[in-house]
Amino acid sequence: MSRRRTAAAGAVVVALVALLATAYPRPAVAVTDAATSVTCTAEQQAITDAQQDRVWSIAATRLVALSGPLTLPFGATGSSTYVRTSAYAWTAGFYPASLWLMYEHTSDPAWLRLAEEYTQRVLPVASWHGTHDLGFMVGLPAGLGERIDPSPVRMNAYATALRTAARSLSTRWNGRVHALRSSYYGASWGVIIDSAMNAPMLIEVGQREGGVDGQRLVRRGAQHMLTLANSFVRADGSTRHRLAFNPRTGAVAGPIYGQGLSTSSTWSRGQAWAINGFAQAFGLTGDARLLDAARRTADYWISHVPAGCIPAWDLDVTDDDAPRDSSAAAITADGLLALSRVETDAARSASYRAYALTTLGTLASAPWTIDEGRGVLQRQSYNVPADPREGTYSWGDAYLLHALAAAAALTS
Ligand code: GLY
């Protein structure tokens, strides 16, 4: 049943992409060198059905163990206590998202009940103007709920929350920077590469609504993504993490140090957010500039991640003993599957798909997924400069399951 649903959803996506291709004619994109130096795929195997079943089974045990009253799972660094948060943490949407994916995979009503309950906890956040992370916090779980929940009443509630969240995020728009403000970093008006995962919600909601308001949301979401493509993606396809802008002139004021090695390095999870966000945004808009950004960031990943498919926490860190970030690999695998679905060049599409499936084959093996432990995905890194211990976190779990569902949809 879950596969039929997934296939039906896939057909809707294909139809939507076809429709959008008419609405947004694609300028010709020069196909540059296809993804090269695929060291990861040379060493590893694509995920098997047995491995997929094993990860879903590990997830079933771990996600039930992480349920609990009122709060939402965040994660744990090293062997420290597993941290839980209120609905107002940037991570609040990941656990409900995992629950929706479990329900879609199993059709077991117990997962539906959990998914509904935890999604209800995050919906009030939709009207909060105090964060840019509403795509993660509301967009992801409410979007999955809207697609997967069989109740029309609850689907309507999720659609309402998505509209509210898009409008809340839109209040952060600055027409000179052509971007949504992520945060003030000190006194600096700043944007972070992670925002690539939040802006697509504006495009999606706006396209659905249409009219003057809807078109404004689409414009803001798409222009934010173009600002990321223009200002954050370097000539070689690597990405910056945070930039300050002058909110009066729109000019880049300079880099802001974040969670990476330095302002000139490439933070692995930032690169992963970029690949995934650009792939989503191109799928929604058909804008060739966003396809170009998705390809360039993806190709940089493929040619810089070492054999074994899992990067260190920063792509400029080459020490084999440095902390890994398996969450970045899961987010990238999910993004490459999204890119392979909308990529206009067949050879590139096949290459991205193969790379993603091989990364998932690795993530579905020890030490990345193991039979004991707390979260689903092990050896993730959150903020290495602040705490170099690896851990297990809700975002890595959610994107691993999201990618597994996308991989299953390829063969259903
Ligand atoms: N700030 C979001 C992240 O750590 O990926």
Coordinates of all heavy atoms in Angstrom, one line a residue, residues 90 194 259 267 269 273 382, ligand 1:
W90 N 14.8 24.8 15.9 CA 14.8 24.6 14.4 C 14.7 23.2 14.0 O 14.3 22.9 12.9 CB 16.2 25.2 13.9 CG 17.4 24.4 14.1 CD1 18.2 24.4 15.2 CD2 18.0 23.4 13.2 NE1 19.2 23.5 15.0 CE2 19.1 22.9 13.8 CE3 17.6 22.9 11.9 CZ2 19.9 21.9 13.2 CZ3 18.4 22.0 11.3 CH2 19.5 21.4 12.0
D194 N 21.7 27.2 4.9 CA 20.6 26.3 5.3 C 19.3 26.8 4.8 O 18.3 26.0 4.6 CB 20.5 26.2 6.8 CG 21.8 26.1 7.5 OD1 22.9 26.5 6.9 OD2 21.9 25.6 8.7
Q259 N 29.6 27.2 11.4 CA 29.9 25.9 11.9 C 31.1 25.2 11.2 O 31.3 24.0 11.5 CB 28.7 25.0 11.9 CG 27.7 25.4 13.0 CD 26.2 25.1 12.6 OE1 25.5 26.0 12.1 NE2 25.8 23.9 12.8
W267 N 31.6 23.9 4.6 CA 31.0 23.2 5.7 C 30.1 22.1 5.0 O 29.3 22.4 4.2 CB 30.1 24.1 6.5 CG 29.4 23.5 7.6 CD1 29.8 22.6 8.6 CD2 28.0 23.7 7.9 NE1 28.8 22.3 9.4 CE2 27.7 22.9 9.1 CE3 27.0 24.5 7.3 CZ2 26.4 22.9 9.6 CZ3 25.7 24.4 7.9 CH2 25.4 23.7 9.0
R269 N 27.6 20.0 5.8 CA 26.2 20.1 5.8 C 25.6 21.3 5.0 O 24.5 21.2 4.4 CB 25.6 20.0 7.2 CG 24.1 19.6 7.2 CD 23.6 19.1 8.5 NE 23.7 20.0 9.6 CZ 24.6 19.9 10.6 NH1 25.4 18.9 10.6 NH2 24.6 20.8 11.6
W273 N 22.8 21.0 2.3 CA 21.5 21.8 2.2 C 21.4 22.5 0.9 O 20.3 22.6 0.3 CB 21.5 22.9 3.3 CG 21.4 22.4 4.8 CD1 22.1 23.0 5.8 CD2 20.5 21.4 5.4 NE1 21.8 22.4 7.0 CE2 20.8 21.4 6.8 CE3 19.6 20.6 4.9 CZ2 20.2 20.6 7.7 CZ3 18.9 19.7 5.8 CH2 19.2 19.7 7.2
Y382 N 27.1 18.0 14.7 CA 26.3 19.2 14.8 C 27.1 20.4 14.5 O 27.0 21.1 13.5 CB 25.5 19.2 16.1 CG 24.6 20.4 16.2 CD1 24.1 21.0 15.1 CD2 24.3 20.9 17.5 CE1 23.2 22.1 15.2 CE2 23.4 22.0 17.6 CZ 22.9 22.6 16.5 OH 22.1 23.7 16.6
Ligands
GLY1 N1 21.8 25.3 11.6 C1 21.4 24.1 11.0 C2 22.4 23.1 10.9 O1 23.2 22.9 11.8 O2 22.4 22.4 9.9

